[in-house]
């Protein structure tokens, strides 16, 4: 339950890259970013120009970019000197501790009894009764097993025969998280907003606490760079430990040797400036080779997006084609499917005897692996992939842990594909039969043909990915069937078809765990929540687009007026200088304080 509580899930990630002036048409750097979040309306971002009339110590801001609802400042954007983009650094900043608790309200620490820290917190509810929560904490943090059903069973764990003392009630689970430690993230964001040099960016990054971020940046002076930002636990390496001490398993809270030794110093976190190759990509992949530098964690994206972005940048460089804002946008909207590049050769080698099924497989011959909205092959392959995951893994996985199809599951299949007799291919539900890889692949292409025939018709040439893959945005308060139909239509945009998919640069991910009526569903579960490209040679030539619009009010004309452009991979001019902003202005709203 914990990963979902901290905002992770299927397909959540982000793309960002920065290119030096050596590779651009203008001779100045380019920076691009598109964070991937859940499909919601209104979106979490708002486009803002934060300009003080007179730049001074009390009002130092002259920046523009994307703000996050409820948070001051510009999270990703630029000022007159520096552009920056923030994406998720999926470092491991949370550990669970197993605690020995006693009936008298104490817990064990190095053989001693320590009092639990108890308090009551009150949540005021508008129009309702107060909610009171009884909180118990150990030295590691709040006890979760009192409130999360998934963890309450730990209380039933058998007590070891050598458990010290008397009155041992059982076990509890406490959580240590960098997000629960004091931090200066907001100060870091505001410091980025006024940064003028690479050293200013480094100083701002050192202020970040939680969450952890990749920061890519570029300056009008020609510098590009990367900073890992946030508080990363410093975990001690324990020789002969009964459980790993790297944070991958719950840690024994009664032994202080497993405690965190503070946080990794900011100067020891990964950073680089002006790399020789002329570009940097941060797309949730591991930022250091295993064993190099501080231990950051293990839950990295498999790297298909970052690899593809790098390949596209290098391809342009080798062809002598300078990068521009337009080529940067094309990279953001790239829909080459890494799963198809892996699997299609094996699918085409299958001995498909049924002409009906072969009509589907034949769609893949000559396919460019692009998951385009109008592609019949893309629709068929997505269905094959969903069935392949179900046939291969569902019989081996506990309920609720089925594969979602993200990049790590692509890597899982990549590791298996050249081992046709691997036990994972076998269907455990069949008796006295051991399935091989090709039998599973044949069943997947057969099931996909049948399913799409039911959903899209008998003629495969008339299938399109857009018939299956749609963004269905629902207002968290006004959506669904809880309100009258007219209000529902006002608050929730009509579903809109999009390119892309899971593991793509254009990461309109769908969740392979979701099936209805025996069919995998392809509704978008996470997506690029905004896109921006900054031209450091001409800031007024930069572009941006929001998922929905600038307004969160369903009655506003700006509620979803950017959705169509976003879905088509288009963007809008992003004026910055005062003259450019005045020239582009169509409406003005002035807010004044009451007398």
């Amino acid at each position: 339950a914990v990963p979902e509580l901290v905002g992770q899930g299927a397909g959540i990630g982000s793309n960002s890259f920065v290119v030096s002036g050596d590779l651009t048409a203008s001779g100045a750097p380019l920076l691009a970013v598109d964070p991937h979040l859940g499909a919601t309306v209104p979106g979490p971002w708002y486009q803002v120009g934060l300009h003080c009339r007179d730049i001074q110590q009390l009002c130092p801001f002259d920046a523009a970019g994307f703000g996050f609802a409820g948070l001051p400042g510009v999270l990703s954007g630029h000022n007159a000197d520096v552009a920056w983009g923030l994406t998720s650094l999926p470092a491991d900043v949370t550990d669970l501790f197993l605690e020995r608790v006693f009936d008298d309200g104490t817990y064990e620490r190095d053989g001693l009894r320590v009092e639990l820290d108890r308090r009551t917190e009150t949540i005021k509810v508008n129009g309702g009764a107060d909610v009171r929560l009884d909180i118990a904490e150990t030295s590691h943090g709040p006890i979760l097993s009192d409130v999360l059903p998934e963890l309450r069973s730990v209380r039933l764990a058998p007590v070891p025969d050598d458990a010290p003392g008397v009155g041992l009630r059982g076990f509890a689970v406490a959580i240590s998280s960098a997000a629960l430690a004091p931090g200066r993230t907001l100060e870091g964001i505001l410091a980025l907003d006024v940064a003028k040099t690479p050293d200013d960016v480094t100083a701002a990054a050192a202020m970040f606490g939680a969450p952890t971020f990749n920061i890519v940046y570029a300056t009008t002076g020609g510098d590009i760079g990367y900073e890992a930002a946030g508080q990363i636990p410093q975990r001690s390496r324990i020789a002969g430990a009964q459980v790993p001490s790297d944070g991958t398993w719950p840690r024994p809270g009664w032994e202080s040797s497993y405690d965190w030794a503070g946080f990794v110093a900011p100067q020891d976190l990964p950073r680089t400036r002006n790399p020789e190759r002329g570009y940097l990509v941060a797309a949730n992949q591991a930022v250091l080779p295993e064993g190099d530098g501080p231990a950051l964690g293990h839950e990295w994206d498999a790297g298909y997006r970052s690899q593809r972005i790098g390949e596209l940048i290098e391809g342009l460089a080798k062809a002598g084609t300078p990068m521009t804002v337009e080529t940067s946008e094309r990279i953001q909207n790239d829909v080459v499917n890494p799963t198809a590049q892996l699997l299609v050769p094996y699918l085409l080698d299958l001995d498909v005897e049924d002409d009906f099924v072969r009509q589907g497989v034949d769609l893949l011959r000559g396919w460019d692996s692009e998951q385009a909205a109008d592609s019949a092959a893309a629709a068929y392959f997505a269905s094959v992939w969903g069935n392949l995951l179900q046939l291969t893994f569902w019989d081996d996985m506990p309920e609720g842990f089925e594969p979602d199809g993200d990049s790590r599951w692509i890597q899982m299949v990549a590791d298996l594909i050249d081992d046709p007799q691997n036990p994972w291919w076998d269907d455990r539900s069949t008796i006295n039969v051991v399935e091989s890889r090709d039998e599973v692949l044949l069943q997947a292409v057969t099931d996909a043909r049948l399913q799409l025939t039911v959903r899209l018709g008998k003629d495969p040439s008339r299938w399109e990915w857009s018939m299956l893959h749609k963004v269905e945005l629902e207002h968290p308060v006004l959506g669904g069937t809880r309100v009258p139909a007219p209000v529902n239509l006002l608050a929730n945009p009509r579903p809109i078809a999009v390119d892309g998919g899971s593991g793509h640069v254009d990461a309109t991910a769908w969740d392979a765990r979701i099936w209805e009526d025996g069919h995998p569903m392809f509704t978008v579960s996470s997506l690029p929540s905004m896109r921006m490209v900054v031209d450091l040679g001409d800031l007024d030539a930069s572009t941006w687009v929001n998922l929905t619009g600038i307004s969160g009010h369903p009655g506003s004309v700006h509620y979803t007026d950017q959705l169509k452009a976003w879905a088509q991979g288009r963007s809008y001019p992003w004026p910055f200088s005062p003259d450019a902003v005045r020239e582009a202005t169509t409406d003005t709203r002035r807010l004044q304080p009451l007398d």
Side-chain angles (χ1 to χ4, degrees):
V2 174
E4 300 300 331
L5 291 178
V6 297
Q8 300 177 12
I12 301 298
S14 301
N15 298 326
S16 62
F17 59 91
V18 60
V19 182
S20 79
D22 294 338
L23 302 179
T24 69
S26 68
L30 288 167
L31 181 145
V33 63
D34 54 283
H36 308 157
L37 297 172
T40 62
V41 60
W45 303 103
Y46 59 95
Q47 292 147 299
V48 60
L50 187 61
H51 307 285
C52 297
R53 292 185 182 275
D54 298 310
I55 305 299
Q56 52 178 295
Q57 185 175 358
L58 291 177
C59 193
F61 300 106
D62 186 24
F66 286 87
F68 198 83
L71 188 68
V74 176
L75 268 73
S76 289
H78 69 84
N79 55 36
D81 304 292
V82 178
W84 60 94
L86 272 62
T87 60
S88 173
L89 173 67
D92 184 356
V93 299
T94 300
D95 280 351
L96 299 180
F97 285 82
L98 195 64
E99 308 282 10
R100 287 174 173 166
V101 295
F102 296 84
D103 289 331
D104 60 359
T106 62
Y107 65 101
E108 183 188 346
R109 287 281 287 164
D110 293 328
L112 301 176
R113 298 280 194 91
V114 181
E115 291 283 340
L116 287 167
D117 181 11
R118 296 185 180 275
R119 68 183 186 276
T120 299
E121 295 189 0
T122 302
I123 301 173
K124 298 288 187 180
V125 179
N126 186 23
D130 292 350
V131 176
R132 289 180 171 82
L133 298 176
D134 294 325
I135 308 297
E137 287 195 11
T138 71
S139 60
H140 301 116
I143 291 178
L144 295 182
S145 47
D146 288 345
V147 294
L148 287 182
E150 295 86 349
L151 298 178
R152 285 177 183 162
S153 61
V154 74
R155 291 250 186 243
L156 305 178
V159 177
D161 293 336
D162 60 350
V166 295
L168 182 64
R169 185 178 65 181
F171 294 94
V173 178
I175 184 171
S176 285
S177 174
L180 299 177
R184 302 171 60 196
T185 300
L186 178 56
E187 291 180 66
I189 293 169
L190 298 179
L192 274 179
D193 290 355
V194 298
K196 295 183 179 299
T197 68
D199 288 343
D200 291 341
V201 176
T202 298
M207 300 181 190
F208 279 71
T212 49
F213 287 105
N214 297 304
I215 302 176
V216 296
Y217 65 89
T219 73
T220 53
D223 293 296
I224 66 171
Y226 165 85
E227 298 276 345
Q231 293 178 320
I232 311 291
Q234 184 86 49
R235 298 176 176 92
S236 301
R237 295 184 178 180
I238 304 170
Q242 292 181 335
V243 296
S245 57
D246 61 356
T248 55
W249 287 82
R251 303 151 78 83
W254 52 87
E255 295 184 22
S256 61
S257 57
Y258 285 90
D259 291 357
W260 290 354
F263 296 104
V264 177
Q267 63 268 24
D268 293 333
L269 291 175
R271 66 166 55 99
T272 189
R273 190 179 295 177
N274 298 323
E276 183 177 349
R277 68 180 181 179
Y279 70 92
L280 292 161
V281 181
N284 317 116
Q285 81 278 16
V287 296
L288 289 174
E290 186 74 25
D292 284 7
L296 301 181
H298 305 277
E299 300 295 315
W300 306 106
D301 183 272
Y304 293 101
R305 286 181 288 114
S306 60
Q307 181 176 332
R308 176 63 178 171
I309 292 170
E311 289 173 351
L312 291 171
I313 294 172
E314 290 181 359
L316 290 168
K318 290 178 181 178
T321 304
M323 290 272 295
T324 64
V325 169
E326 291 73 21
T327 56
S328 299
E329 290 180 334
R330 285 202 295 272
I331 290 175
Q332 288 181 319
N333 287 281
D334 183 79
V335 294
V336 166
N337 186 335
T339 323
Q341 292 179 314
L342 167 70
L343 286 180
V344 166
Y346 294 89
L347 300 178
L348 294 179
D349 277 347
L350 292 173
D351 184 13
V352 181
E353 298 179 356
D354 190 311
D355 290 340
F356 180 73
V357 177
R358 193 182 302 113
Q359 289 174 1
V361 176
D362 284 345
L363 292 173
L364 305 177
R365 300 187 189 280
W367 180 40
D368 57 9
S369 296
E370 291 195 356
Q371 203 73 19
D374 60 355
S375 170
Y380 180 63
F381 180 80
S383 187
V384 172
W385 174 237
N387 280 279
L388 174 61
L389 292 173
Q390 195 252 24
L391 291 165
T392 306
F393 299 111
W394 281 30
D395 60 315
D396 296 300
M397 306 298 291
E399 184 176 355
F401 289 85
E402 297 85 359
D404 58 23
D406 71 3
S407 66
R408 285 178 292 183
W409 285 102
I410 302 173
Q411 187 60 48
M412 177 73 169
V413 173
D415 292 341
L416 296 176
I417 197 66
D418 287 325
D419 185 4
Q421 304 303 323
N422 191 288
W424 280 103
W425 299 116
D426 179 43
D427 184 351
R428 295 172 59 187
S429 66
T430 58
I431 301 175
N432 298 324
V433 177
V434 177
E435 286 81 8
S436 65
R437 178 198 66 195
D438 287 354
E439 289 174 291
V440 172
L441 294 180
L442 182 59
Q443 190 63 51
V445 298
T446 301
D447 290 350
R449 172 58 160 126
L450 294 170
Q451 291 162 0
L452 292 193
T453 298
V454 172
R455 295 183 65 178
L456 303 181
K458 187 176 180 179
D459 183 357
S461 67
R462 304 186 67 174
W463 297 345
E464 292 187 1
W465 180 224
S466 61
M467 298 175 178
L468 303 169
H469 192 54
K470 299 179 186 295
V471 175
E472 297 181 4
L473 300 173
E474 183 175 282
H475 196 289
V477 176
L478 302 178
T481 59
R482 295 169 290 178
V483 295
V487 178
N488 189 48
L489 289 173
L490 177 67
N492 300 325
R494 295 182 182 277
I496 188 167
V498 289
D499 296 331
S502 304
H504 305 38
V505 176
D506 184 12
T508 53
W510 52 277
D511 193 332
R513 296 170 296 188
I514 301 176
W515 284 53
E516 291 184 11
D517 300 325
H519 302 254
M521 303 302 293
F522 306 99
T523 302
V524 174
S525 57
S526 64
L527 40 70
S529 55
M530 60 82 160
R531 299 186 187 99
M532 78 175 207
V533 178
V534 183
D535 184 344
L536 277 297
D538 180 3
L539 294 173
D540 289 332
S542 306
T543 61
W544 60 358
V545 66
N546 208 357
L547 168 62
T548 50
I550 191 62
S551 174
H553 195 299
S556 169
V557 296
H558 301 298
Y559 182 58
T560 58
D561 60 342
Q562 298 184 49
L563 178 58
K564 184 176 181 181
W566 171 90
Q568 295 174 347
R570 297 186 289 110
S571 58
Y572 296 96
W574 180 2
F576 176 73
S577 65
D579 289 343
V581 171
R582 279 191 291 269
E583 183 177 349
T585 297
T586 58
D587 299 287
T588 301
R589 175 171 295 174
R590 187 181 301 276
L591 304 180
Q592 293 181 300
L594 296 174
D595 294 335

